[in-house]
Amino acid sequence: MAKSKTIYSCTECGGQSPKWQGQCPHCQAWNTLVESVAETASNNRFATLAGVNAERGQVLNLSKVKTQDIPRQPTGIGEFDRVLGGGLVSGGVVLIGGDPGIGKSTMLLQALCAISASSSVLYVSGEESPQQIAMRANRLTLDTHDVKLLAEIELEKIVATLSAEKPQVAVIDSIQTIYSAALTSAPGSVAQVRECAAHLTRFAKSTATTIVLVGHVTKEGALAGPRVLEHMVDTVLYFEGDTHSSFRLIRAVKNRFGAVNEIGVFAMTEKGLREVTNPSAMFLSTHSANVPGSCVMVTQEGTRPLLVEIQALVDEAHMNPKRLSVGLEQNRLAMLLAVLHRHAGIACFDQDVFINAVGGVKIDEPGADLAVLLAIVSSLKNKPLPIKHVVFGEIGLAGEVRPVQRGQERLKEAAKLGFTHAIIPKGNKPKQKIDGIEIIAVERVEQAVEAMRG
């Protein structure tokens, strides 16, 4: 028997190489080439390109295409619907990724049970047996009378079952376990994941079936498999959170039918995932008195403003000073310390600086700069910030405090939660007074430090 020819495929871009290399020659990513079996080309691979048996496509005038509101299918979980943009879309394909044990299968089983009351659903399990899924449903006390279950990993059988059952919503758990008999490579390989996802996506679009794909993630937290997987689907969601904590976040990083960077907040309980109605309370610590190094900021996650406590600990360094940031960008911390020294005259070159965002939330926006800077000054000087103060603003290298987006919504959220003072960029100062909160507008870093002291 002839030995199968192997190739090396990039997990980032899907590019192929005849031999292993440390760096992908296509996208220049390091250590992303994995071995797989080379697939044989079909005999008529280029037939359509040559014009054989090809039909002319229908060309439309864009101005004459009629548009209509996209109907939504509520999932019965309000926070999940928020991230999806209002609910599931007919014919849409959703990809959900997250660490093992984070709660992906639990949430989808809860959603399917709620949807089954009004629509036909199918749960395709490639990792768990029907008995395991039934045990989870019993533990969560879910009504599963109208939920259909299929334990299968062969793509052709799954598609045939979907065609016969005609469910309105189908869950594939997970895409890495599905394989196509047309390919010789193993399940989970780049070729199999890409081909199976493409077939399921085409089936969803042609039959108006909503398909939810569950995806594994790498140790870096990115979706496993080729990056083209994210381009095929309509919506990409990520589960975030520490498995040792009861809180979970689900974030939309791509959504063709809604806003991106929306988040849903959940708490993991014995009865499954429960929605958190006031997520700001989850990210605020409860101190009996004001403590140095604590500063509350308002971050913007999609259309939702959230109050998050930023904590800083500045301590004398006995050897090389350490810089550690949890939940915030590490490189930005070094920049803020340099700006603080240059423009406010406060040096931390002989101090260890540790920054933490309470609750395990990850903040990517630069609007956290001013809160981080004031928390550092508060810890260094051992002086708490005034009570009921909230802060947001971006810091520039020239020492200016730059405005951020949606400043009005941030201030209204802070006022609603009882905060009475806000240190904000001058560019975000509202034209009309917001009841219950006093605005302190600053233009420079040194002004913000003085406002904190007084």
Side-chain angles (χ1 to χ4, degrees):
M1 181 177 179
K3 183 180 178 181
S4 300
K5 183 180 179 181
T6 61
I7 58 173
Y8 294 85
S9 303
C10 177
T11 58
E12 290 292 321
C13 66
Q16 297 180 344
S17 177
K19 61 180 182 179
W20 186 88
Q21 302 178 57
Q23 186 180 33
C24 173
H26 304 281
C27 66
Q28 312 306 317
W30 288 94
N31 300 320
T32 57
L33 292 181
V34 294
E35 186 178 11
S36 61
V37 178
E39 307 298 337
T40 57
S42 59
N43 295 330
N44 60 343
R45 181 178 180 184
F46 301 102
T48 57
L49 295 181
V52 179
N53 298 328
E55 296 181 1
R56 178 185 175 184
Q58 182 181 5
V59 179
L60 301 175
N61 191 317
L62 182 58
S63 62
K64 296 182 180 179
V65 177
K66 296 181 179 179
T67 60
Q68 58 184 0
D69 293 335
I70 301 175
R72 303 280 182 169
Q73 169 69 63
T75 63
I77 305 176
E79 291 294 299
F80 191 26
D81 289 338
R82 167 188 282 271
V83 177
L84 290 170
L88 295 170
V89 176
S90 177
V93 181
V94 181
L95 176 64
I96 299 181
D99 294 328
I102 202 74
K104 302 184 297 297
S105 300
T106 298
M107 188 195 69
L108 291 175
L109 185 58
Q110 289 180 250
L112 281 187
C113 290
I115 296 171
S116 64
S118 58
S119 304
S120 58
V121 299
L122 177 66
Y123 191 104
V124 180
S125 175
E127 297 182 343
E128 297 177 298
S129 66
Q131 291 75 21
Q132 290 175 306
I133 298 174
M135 288 174 59
R136 179 187 292 121
N138 292 334
R139 176 171 54 86
L140 301 177
T141 63
L142 299 175
D143 183 6
T144 59
H145 286 89
D146 297 321
V147 178
K148 297 181 180 179
L149 177 63
L150 172 66
E152 183 57 60
I153 61 174
E154 185 177 342
L155 175 67
E156 287 73 17
K157 292 183 179 179
I158 293 173
V159 173
T161 304
L162 290 173
S163 300
E165 294 291 337
K166 296 181 173 57
Q168 292 175 274
V169 180
V171 170
I172 311 296
D173 188 7
S174 67
I175 189 61
Q176 271 80 14
T177 61
I178 308 301
Y179 77 95
S180 172
L183 303 180
T184 57
S185 52
S189 64
V190 173
Q192 287 283 8
V193 170
R194 181 168 49 197
E195 189 68 15
C196 292
H199 273 286
L200 291 170
T201 300
R202 285 195 293 269
F203 178 85
K205 302 301 181 185
S206 61
T207 61
T209 304
T210 302
I211 293 183
V212 181
L213 306 176
V214 178
H216 295 172
V217 295
T218 63
K219 60 182 180 180
E220 290 83 12
L223 280 163
R227 293 303 299 269
V228 294
L229 191 61
E230 298 185 21
H231 297 285
M232 290 180 187
V233 301
D234 300 308
T235 305
V236 179
L237 308 179
Y238 277 95
F239 255 99
E240 299 176 1
D242 188 354
T243 54
H244 302 289
S245 171
S246 62
F247 295 112
R248 302 286 189 269
L249 301 178
I250 182 169
R251 184 188 303 271
V253 297
K254 174 189 176 181
N255 195 349
R256 289 173 177 161
F257 307 112
V260 295
N261 290 327
E262 286 283 4
I263 69 167
V265 186
F266 300 89
M268 178 63 80
T269 67
E270 293 181 356
K271 299 298 182 181
L273 288 169
R274 293 291 181 266
E275 302 173 56
V276 177
T277 56
N278 183 16
S280 292
M282 158 183 155
F283 303 122
L284 297 176
S285 293
T286 55
H287 301 296
S288 57
N290 284 354
V291 295
S294 174
C295 182
V296 177
M297 71 157 294
V298 190
T299 184
Q300 191 75 23
E301 295 289 350
T303 59
R304 166 184 275 175
L306 292 178
L307 272 75
V308 180
E309 181 181 357
I310 304 296
Q311 294 180 339
L313 176 61
V314 181
D315 193 20
E316 183 179 354
H318 298 286
M319 296 183 66
N320 295 329
K322 297 181 180 63
R323 307 284 185 259
L324 181 62
S325 178
V326 179
L328 296 127
E329 189 178 352
Q330 183 90 13
N331 295 331
R332 203 157 185 90
L333 174 59
M335 184 201 78
L336 292 175
L337 292 175
V339 172
L340 183 63
H341 182 207
R342 178 65 178 269
H343 297 286
I346 300 176
C348 296
F349 57 83
D350 57 346
Q351 305 286 323
D352 291 332
V353 181
F354 304 96
I355 301 293
N356 177 47
V358 172
V361 66
K362 296 179 182 179
I363 302 176
D364 299 324
E365 67 155 341
D369 290 351
L370 188 57
V372 171
L373 189 143
L374 294 185
I376 292 172
V377 174
S378 173
S379 179
L380 179 64
K381 302 297 183 182
N382 198 31
K383 181 181 178 182
L385 271 77
I387 191 171
K388 295 297 181 181
H389 272 55
V390 70
V391 176
F392 61 83
E394 180 184 353
I395 302 296
L397 290 178
E400 77 276 14
V401 181
R402 303 173 61 85
V404 297
Q405 62 175 351
R406 298 182 180 267
Q408 189 101 351
E409 288 85 348
R410 299 179 195 234
L411 291 172
K412 289 180 179 178
E413 179 72 11
K416 186 174 68 175
L417 293 177
F419 286 84
T420 58
H421 292 76
I423 303 176
I424 66 172
K426 188 175 181 179
N428 284 125
K429 185 176 181 180
K431 296 180 180 179
Q432 296 180 351
K433 188 180 187 313
I434 298 177
D435 294 336
I437 191 167
E438 181 181 340
I439 306 300
I440 305 171
V442 297
E443 293 183 282
R444 304 280 306 169
V445 169
E446 51 268 32
Q447 294 176 5
V449 174
E450 287 298 325
M452 183 198 77
R453 292 171 179 171

